Amino acid sequence: MASRKTSQRSQPDGDKYSVLLPTYNERENLPLIVWLLVKYFGESGYKYEIIVIDDGSPDGTLEVAEQLQQIYGEDKIVSSPLVSGLAQGTAYIHGIKHATGNFIIIMDADLSHHVMFVLFVRKQKEGNYDLVSGTRYRGNGGVYGWDLRRKIISRGANFVTQVLLRPGASDLTGSFRLYKKEVLESLVEQCVSKGYVFQMEMIVRARQLNFTIGEVPISFVDRVYGESKLGGNEIVSFLKGLLTLFATT
Amino acid sequence: MTKLLEWVGGVLVLGAAWALVTFDLLDLSLPQTYKEVAWPMPLYLLVTFGCYSLATVGYRVATFNDCEEAAKELQEQIKEAKEDLRKKGLKI
């Protein structure tokens, strides 16, 4: 009689999650985030792969990615470096080409996103959402390492965005999200902005195309803020981007 | 229709209604009180919106969650990760 091995978590749906990690000078953080993803995905039982998209980092991030490939296997860690300077969208387009999963998770490689991606997976399954957005502003989402000034700017900017764009999502500039692969593909083609305005544009276009959006509270741990304060330049470019979206969507 | 157009449209409609009542553009012989109430409305609404905005942003800043736990957990995870990666042969 043949005995049947049943896995602890059954996967009748065969979903696979491709995590896109655009990197620039992340040689210290990359191994850590990969380790965390491998650990938590491994525990969850979901199929996954991690796609490292390095933009020519001068600090050797690419070599670190290759070492990780040796340690964890090339089926789990895919290294797909960019050849020339990038716009945010380019990194995603590039990454999607190599993704073999049917879901794409995008997040920051600098450990600012607490790796609780399982919440995203579960939320997506709950309502079969086209995209699930991590929010710092709802539920028990939040931040660590921000002073009062930073919080005021963040909430103020978000308020202005909500009034002007009425986007139907509470956190537009967040970059911890889960997309169905085909949804990400169609959105990235349409979006023209850069940086966090790009993230805003993705959600606005998603609403326009009537994609369903779910939200999940996330913790944003800012270890970088002390070094790079949010300056006037960034605020100006944010406002420019916001007004462009206001006038064109 | 872009959001900008929606706003422009909305402002035009409300503006027309306000001007109509305040300046009696169609000679409707409205009671004086209507005109007196309508005249300061734009300013009044702006001020109200300003107060609402301040109150809302203030409330949201005050209730912005501080993720102490997440930060601590992250520190521990980083230690664990570094140990394990060293064992697995990662050279930094």
Side-chain angles (χ1 to χ4, degrees):
Chain A
M1 249 191 302
S3 63
R4 263 258 205 92
K5 243 195 202 167
T6 49
S7 56
Q8 262 186 314
R9 268 171 252 268
S10 64
Q11 290 197 81
D13 40 27
D15 288 328
K16 183 172 180 184
Y17 299 85
S18 301
V19 182
L20 297 191
L21 288 180
T23 59
Y24 188 72
N25 283 347
E26 295 290 0
R27 83 176 287 188
E28 289 195 18
N29 289 325
L30 183 60
L32 302 173
I33 184 115
V34 165
W35 187 88
L36 285 168
L37 286 167
V38 168
K39 171 172 179 191
Y40 289 108
F41 261 113
E43 281 172 13
S44 73
Y46 292 114
K47 288 203 290 259
Y48 71 100
E49 64 182 353
I50 301 171
I51 304 181
V52 180
I53 308 154
D54 187 49
D55 182 26
S57 301
D59 72 345
T61 304
L62 192 55
E63 282 86 64
V64 173
E66 280 159 14
Q67 280 193 56
L68 292 165
Q69 275 185 303
Q70 295 305 315
I71 296 174
Y72 290 111
E74 284 183 12
D75 56 324
K76 288 283 184 291
I77 318 280
V78 178
S79 176
S80 154
L82 290 174
V83 177
S84 56
L86 91 184
Q88 193 106 25
T90 315
Y92 292 149
I93 294 176
H94 193 75
I96 293 171
K97 289 207 184 85
H98 295 83
T100 59
N102 54 333
F103 288 101
I104 312 265
I105 296 179
I106 61 160
M107 60 191 303
D108 290 344
D110 62 357
L111 292 177
S112 52
H113 291 135
H114 200 204
V115 178
M116 351 128 115
F117 68 88
V118 175
L119 298 175
F120 285 79
V121 170
R122 282 197 212 128
K123 182 75 189 182
Q124 192 280 326
K125 289 186 188 299
E126 228 179 77
N128 194 24
Y129 294 106
D130 295 313
L131 89 92
V132 179
S133 166
T135 173
R136 295 158 293 172
Y137 301 130
R138 285 260 176 86
N140 57 357
V143 293
Y144 177 81
W146 279 5
D147 58 10
L148 190 63
R149 175 182 175 266
R150 186 69 180 86
K151 284 185 186 176
I152 292 176
I153 294 177
S154 180
R155 285 292 200 173
N158 182 258
F159 179 79
V160 174
T161 307
Q162 295 291 329
V163 168
L164 287 182
L165 298 182
R166 300 192 319 273
S170 62
D171 190 346
L172 284 221
T173 53
S175 53
F176 193 174
R177 299 187 185 156
L178 165 69
Y179 294 84
K180 287 185 185 169
K181 186 172 173 185
E182 61 277 13
V183 171
L184 182 61
E185 280 170 330
S186 62
L187 286 175
V188 165
E189 268 164 36
Q190 302 209 8
C191 293
V192 294
S193 343
K194 303 196 176 150
Y196 36 71
V197 183
F198 173 83
Q199 303 295 352
M200 289 166 62
E201 196 183 351
M202 295 282 275
I203 296 237
V204 170
R205 301 242 178 247
R207 293 293 281 181
Q208 277 186 323
L209 295 171
N210 286 320
F211 287 131
T212 54
I213 303 179
E215 288 197 315
V216 153
I218 59 165
S219 309
F220 183 87
V221 178
D222 197 340
R223 302 151 77 217
V224 168
Y225 177 50
E227 297 145 32
S228 62
K229 303 219 177 283
L230 195 66
N233 268 338
E234 283 165 303
I235 297 183
V236 167
S237 69
F238 165 80
L239 286 174
K240 268 201 238 166
L242 176 60
L243 289 174
T244 309
L245 285 178
F246 179 63
T248 58
T249 59
Chain B
M1 202 195 233
T2 67
K3 291 285 181 293
L4 176 61
L5 286 179
E6 281 179 24
W7 277 68
V8 167
V11 167
L12 284 178
V13 166
L14 289 175
W18 173 80
L20 202 77
V21 174
T22 310
F23 302 115
D24 206 2
L25 296 176
L26 293 180
D27 279 327
L28 294 173
S29 321
L30 296 163
Q32 187 64 13
T33 43
Y34 278 43
K35 290 186 198 167
E36 281 171 12
V37 167
W39 160 237
M41 265 305 170
L43 187 61
Y44 177 74
L45 289 173
L46 264 173
V47 171
T48 308
F49 178 69
C51 294
Y52 165 77
S53 304
L54 280 177
T56 304
V57 174
Y59 173 75
R60 288 176 179 175
V61 168
T63 55
F64 210 161
N65 288 328
D66 275 310
C67 307
E68 300 276 351
E69 295 233 351
K72 270 191 218 128
E73 220 186 301
L74 182 63
Q75 288 308 316
E76 285 161 16
Q77 287 171 336
I78 291 179
K79 276 198 210 120
E80 215 188 316
K82 283 186 176 165
E83 266 308 301
D84 194 41
L85 286 167
R86 211 173 295 145
K87 284 193 203 126
K88 292 195 158 87
L90 186 77
K91 298 175 198 65
I92 299 187

